[in-house]
């Protein structure tokens, strides 16, 4: 479903992604773990077209999308829930969800159906549908960010650090939501610093260090890998 071939992304003279190749197959949950500044967010942005690729190629469903503009990639079935959630604080929950359906703004009935689907998935959002998003708790905002990405009915969902800044109990809920999405057949690429939880939910995983993939394997293999244990799993 997704293939990156030697992708490089730079900010001026700084090369944040230095030639990354990876793939995500249909129905898989794949995770990229890495420390702060490893280039995880930059990599996701290059997949949705928010950062230009300097070299290498991005294929979606086998089609070279390296230079397809961001708004057209939504039509190809890719959506991202960004780091820091990116919800519009002064808009209500419902309005944020409607923005996620922008690509089919001419079909209000389909938009309503999609909102209903997300309210079923995240009942808390239904309760809070008229509340300004900036007043939601961190966990609720994260649910909203994921639901908003799902409004376009993507086949590939990119999640950028959904656990960031959340309390352990809420992180559990978020990972449970990811498990359910996976169960529904959605293909997911998950970027995380919470390596233990991310590897636990992932079919396959990559370790990204200063812009390069240094390890790959199944989620379980990486959970058991001594280098991953030492660098990302603390003393466990
Ligand atoms: P974190 O987990 O802290 O979000 P990350 O792995 O997602 O980190 P990126 O945000 O992709 O890392 O950043 C990779 C590198 O690119 C870092 O050195 C960062 O300072 C740099 N960088 C990111 N965004 C920009 C930008 N807009 N302009 C200049 N440099 C940037």
């Amino acid at each position: 479903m997704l293939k990156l071939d030697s992708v490089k992304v730079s900010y001026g003279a700084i090369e944040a992604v230095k030639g990354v190749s990876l793939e995500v197959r249909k129905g898989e949950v794949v995770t990229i773990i890495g420390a702060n500044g490893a280039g995880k967010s930059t990599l996701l942005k290059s997949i949705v077209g928010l950062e230009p690729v300097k070299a290498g190629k991005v294929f979606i469903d086998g089609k070279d999308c390296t230079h397809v503009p961001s708004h057209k990639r939504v039509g190809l079935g890719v959506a991202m829930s960004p780091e820091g959630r990116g919800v519009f604080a002064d808009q209500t929950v419902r309005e944020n969800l409607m923005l996620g359906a922008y690509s089919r703004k001419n079909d209000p009935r389909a938009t309503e159906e999609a909102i209903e689907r997300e309210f079923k998935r995240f009942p808390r959002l239904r309760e809070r549908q008229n509340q300004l998003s900036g007043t939601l708790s961190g966990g609720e905002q994260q649910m909203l960010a994921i639901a908003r990405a799902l409004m376009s009915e993507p086949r590939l969902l990119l999640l950028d650090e959904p656990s960031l800044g959340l309390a352990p109990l809420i992180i559990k809920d978020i990972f449970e939501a990811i498990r359910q999405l996976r169960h529904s057949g959605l293909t997911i690429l998950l970027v995380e610093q919470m390596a233990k939880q991310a590897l636990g939910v992932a079919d396959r995983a990559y370790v990204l260090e200063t812009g390069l993939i240094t390890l790959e394997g199944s989620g379980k293999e990486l959970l058991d890998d001594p280098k991953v244990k030492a660098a990302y799993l603390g003393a466990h």
Side-chain angles (χ1 to χ4, degrees):
M1 185 164 280
L2 173 73
K3 189 171 171 203
L4 305 188
D5 186 6
S6 306
V7 166
K8 293 185 180 180
V9 185
S10 295
Y11 298 107
I14 299 168
E15 200 166 62
V17 175
K18 300 176 179 166
V20 166
S21 299
L22 58 78
E23 56 179 37
V24 181
R25 300 173 204 130
K26 191 167 184 290
E28 274 189 324
V29 175
V30 173
T31 190
I32 301 173
I33 58 169
N36 276 322
K40 306 181 299 298
S41 298
T42 303
L43 194 60
L44 287 194
K45 285 182 194 158
S46 74
I47 297 169
V48 289
L50 290 174
E51 284 297 343
V53 167
K54 195 180 81 175
K57 288 193 182 307
V58 176
F59 296 94
I60 297 169
D61 281 331
K63 182 175 171 242
D64 184 353
C65 295
T66 316
H67 302 294
V68 172
S70 182
H71 64 276
K72 292 211 172 127
R73 294 197 204 191
V74 177
L76 296 173
V78 183
M80 177 166 78
S81 166
E83 182 178 7
R85 296 145 204 162
V87 300
F88 296 100
D90 55 356
Q91 309 249 13
T92 66
V93 166
R94 176 173 272 277
E95 286 163 346
N96 266 276
L97 290 176
M98 289 176 81
L99 287 167
Y102 183 76
S103 59
R104 53 163 179 227
K105 59 184 185 301
N106 295 327
D107 191 347
R109 203 170 131 203
T111 301
E112 273 312 308
E113 279 168 14
I115 289 177
E116 183 55 29
R117 192 188 58 225
E118 296 315 316
F119 282 167
K120 279 208 178 97
R121 195 190 319 271
F122 298 111
R124 186 73 73 89
L125 296 183
R126 186 195 300 279
E127 285 167 25
R128 315 249 152 184
Q129 58 179 294
N130 297 316
Q131 186 172 328
L132 290 183
S133 302
T135 63
L136 295 174
S137 72
E140 289 162 353
Q141 286 190 19
Q142 185 57 61
M143 286 172 200
L144 178 57
I146 296 174
R148 191 182 55 187
L150 291 171
M151 285 293 290
S152 65
E153 288 188 54
R155 290 173 300 119
L156 173 63
L157 176 67
L158 311 181
L159 294 173
D160 194 351
E161 297 211 33
S163 73
L164 194 71
L166 300 181
L169 266 181
I170 313 291
I171 292 177
K172 229 175 121 219
D173 287 350
I174 296 292
F175 275 92
E176 185 48 40
I178 295 171
R179 279 199 178 82
Q180 282 176 18
L181 288 170
R182 174 207 186 163
H183 195 65
S184 73
L186 189 65
T187 308
I188 298 174
L189 179 57
L190 165 70
V191 153
E192 261 297 343
Q193 282 192 58
M194 287 283 170
K196 193 172 174 192
Q197 286 89 337
L199 293 173
V201 79
D203 298 296
R204 290 189 306 108
Y206 296 87
V207 176
L208 188 67
E209 284 177 15
T210 53
L212 282 170
I213 302 284
T214 52
L215 262 180
E216 64 175 281
S218 70
K220 168 124 191 28
E221 278 164 357
L222 264 60
L223 266 178
D224 294 337
D225 186 282
K227 277 178 279 180
V228 172
K229 278 188 179 166
Y232 301 104
L233 301 174
H236 312 295

